[in-house]
Amino acid sequence: MSDKDDMIPLLDLLSLKGKRALVTGAAAGIGRAISVRLAETGADLYLVDINEEGLRDVQREIKGKFDVSIEIFKVDLSKREEIINLWKAIEGREPDILINNAGIYLFQDFLEVDEKFLEKTLSVNLKSAFWMCQEMVRRRLDKGGVIINIGSIEAILPFAKGLVHYDISKMGVIALTRALAREYGKKGFRVNAIVPGGIKTPGVEKLRREAVLKLKMDVIKTGMNFMSRLPLGRMGDPDEVARIVVVLASDLASYVHGAVIPVDGGFLSA
């Protein structure tokens, strides 16, 4: 703005009070951190995961800190029918903000991937984001909204062996993001993607422990190589991804659209 007196205060731009946000994969890791930070900015929440117990833990944590409305939904996102039922359950109360975070991260040698394994990966990581975005756009076509899809640096720069199936699913998420940004920006939607890398989630920690206990030397070596080329020299915290989600969800990022933003400690630059 040219007139400084017309500038909106930063805290007002950041606030999501009066908004509803839907977060998939909300029971743990990055999704949990995103949910807590969105609640801190005042957003009411729809939390979605297949892990109902984890959702209840997150709900209790947030309720103990912030005065926001929270509804939890146990959904198998690999099944389109359950996604449709979710949106029917919130009909007339659709979210202003959609965060497609859910994903599975399983290692499998390329030559051993079968149709069932590939379909499961694509259904959870890519197809669920597609169907969730479709429902969001269809139901808010006259209102617009914010969509944030969570990809992975693995899609841009494959590094670990045994993740071809995962890589193509997450590259699809990036393509989905950019295509929707092109088609629906003028309809009032802002669509962006975040590509995390090297984030210390419970899932990553479990893989690390298993590799050490079972002496999986190839996995250990990959981890050491990964750390050696990280410019910041450390793994990231889920909250460091969540903070960027909050920025993109808020009016702080009102002119950020169709972007693919790494949160990776500089890995892609190295």
Side-chain angles (χ1 to χ4, degrees):
M1 297 180 183
S2 57
D3 188 341
K4 291 184 178 180
D5 291 336
D6 293 333
M7 289 178 63
I8 301 173
L10 280 174
L11 289 180
D12 291 347
L13 289 171
L14 182 63
S15 174
L16 295 175
K17 194 169 183 60
K19 303 285 188 181
R20 294 190 186 97
L22 190 158
V23 184
T24 69
I30 292 173
R32 185 182 193 122
I34 290 170
S35 303
V36 173
R37 284 297 188 180
L38 289 174
E40 185 178 0
T41 61
D44 294 321
L45 299 173
Y46 298 138
L47 304 184
V48 177
D49 206 294
I50 198 169
N51 177 3
E52 187 173 9
E53 184 178 349
L55 286 176
R56 294 196 183 282
D57 286 343
V58 177
Q59 184 181 40
R60 282 191 291 268
E61 178 185 353
I62 293 173
K63 280 294 189 181
K65 296 178 180 178
F66 309 111
D67 183 21
V68 297
S69 169
I70 306 172
E71 294 181 52
I72 62 174
F73 299 88
K74 180 183 179 181
V75 179
D76 182 347
L77 289 164
S78 70
K79 299 177 180 177
R80 188 186 179 196
E81 182 180 358
E82 293 200 19
I83 291 174
I84 292 172
N85 289 339
L86 165 65
W87 285 88
K88 285 181 179 178
I90 57 175
E91 193 164 3
R93 306 179 295 128
E94 291 85 1
D96 307 274
I97 302 157
L98 170 63
I99 317 292
N100 285 310
N101 165 74
I104 53 177
Y105 183 74
L106 301 172
F107 286 85
Q108 183 71 277
D109 185 274
F110 174 65
L111 297 179
E112 296 177 1
V113 172
D114 59 21
E115 185 174 4
K116 183 179 180 180
F117 185 87
L118 178 60
E119 179 59 29
K120 180 69 172 181
T121 302
L122 294 177
S123 292
V124 176
N125 292 3
L126 175 56
K127 289 183 180 180
S128 73
F130 184 98
W131 299 129
M132 291 292 290
C133 287
Q134 187 184 73
E135 293 291 336
M136 175 78 166
V137 172
R138 177 182 287 129
R139 292 165 182 272
R140 294 188 59 92
L141 199 55
D142 60 341
K143 300 176 183 177
V146 172
I147 298 174
I148 302 170
N149 295 321
I150 307 299
S152 170
I153 60 169
E154 266 286 334
I156 299 171
L157 183 62
F159 188 77
K161 293 173 64 176
L163 288 175
V164 174
H165 51 283
Y166 176 82
D167 295 348
I168 63 172
S169 71
K170 288 300 187 178
M171 182 54 82
V173 168
I174 293 172
L176 171 67
T177 301
R178 300 187 73 172
L180 291 178
R182 169 67 181 84
E183 290 196 33
Y184 292 101
K186 291 181 180 178
K187 294 289 187 178
F189 291 91
R190 278 199 306 107
V191 190
N192 295 289
I194 291 175
V195 285
I199 305 301
K200 194 163 51 177
T201 64
V204 170
E205 283 297 287
K206 181 181 177 182
L207 287 171
R208 184 189 65 81
R209 287 194 302 271
E210 286 180 354
V212 172
L213 290 173
K214 297 180 181 179
L215 293 178
K216 295 182 178 179
M217 298 310 299
D218 56 335
V219 177
I220 293 172
K221 183 179 179 182
T222 297
M224 291 174 65
N225 289 341
F226 184 89
M227 291 299 297
S228 70
R229 63 177 288 174
L230 260 178
L232 284 187
R234 66 172 178 84
M235 297 283 279
D237 187 86
D239 186 58
E240 292 178 292
V241 179
R243 296 172 208 167
I244 304 304
V245 170
V246 168
V247 171
L248 290 177
S250 74
D251 285 340
L252 282 173
S254 58
Y255 202 57
V256 181
H257 182 56
V260 179
I261 301 174
V263 182
D264 68 345
F267 181 82
L268 291 179
S269 71

